[in-house]
Amino acid sequence: LHLPFPLLSDHALSFTRALGLPTFTVDGKVLLKRVTLIIEEGAIGHIFYPVFPPHKNAADVLDFLKSRHPR
């Protein structure tokens, strides 16, 4: 996909279950609720949940990152 960031595939929901991430079921499929994990040096440093309103999440994440790592 040539994404500028790593992408985690969790098709078996192993990661989701291990962390107790929020899910919901539609038509028999278990799906993740909107959640943003900030991972720093291999550890979860911050969780954005619930993600609401969803259209503001990217700006919220950028504000958080800028506050932690000012230039």
Side-chain angles (χ1 to χ4, degrees):
L1 296 174
H2 307 290
L3 299 173
F5 50 83
L7 182 65
L8 174 67
S9 174
D10 189 24
H11 67 278
L13 299 173
S14 303
F15 185 76
T16 299
R17 289 188 181 112
L19 292 179
L21 296 176
T23 62
F24 64 103
T25 304
V26 174
D27 293 330
K29 293 182 182 181
V30 178
L31 305 171
L32 278 167
K33 291 186 179 182
R34 289 185 176 111
V35 60
T36 302
L37 305 176
I38 304 296
I39 300 173
E40 299 177 296
E41 298 181 23
I44 297 171
H46 191 78
I47 299 172
F48 287 87
Y49 180 78
V51 173
F52 188 82
H55 71 278
K56 288 189 61 187
N57 185 239
D60 292 341
V61 170
L62 287 174
D63 289 344
F64 172 81
L65 293 173
K66 287 176 185 175
S67 72
R68 297 272 303 254
H69 304 286
R71 290 185 174 193

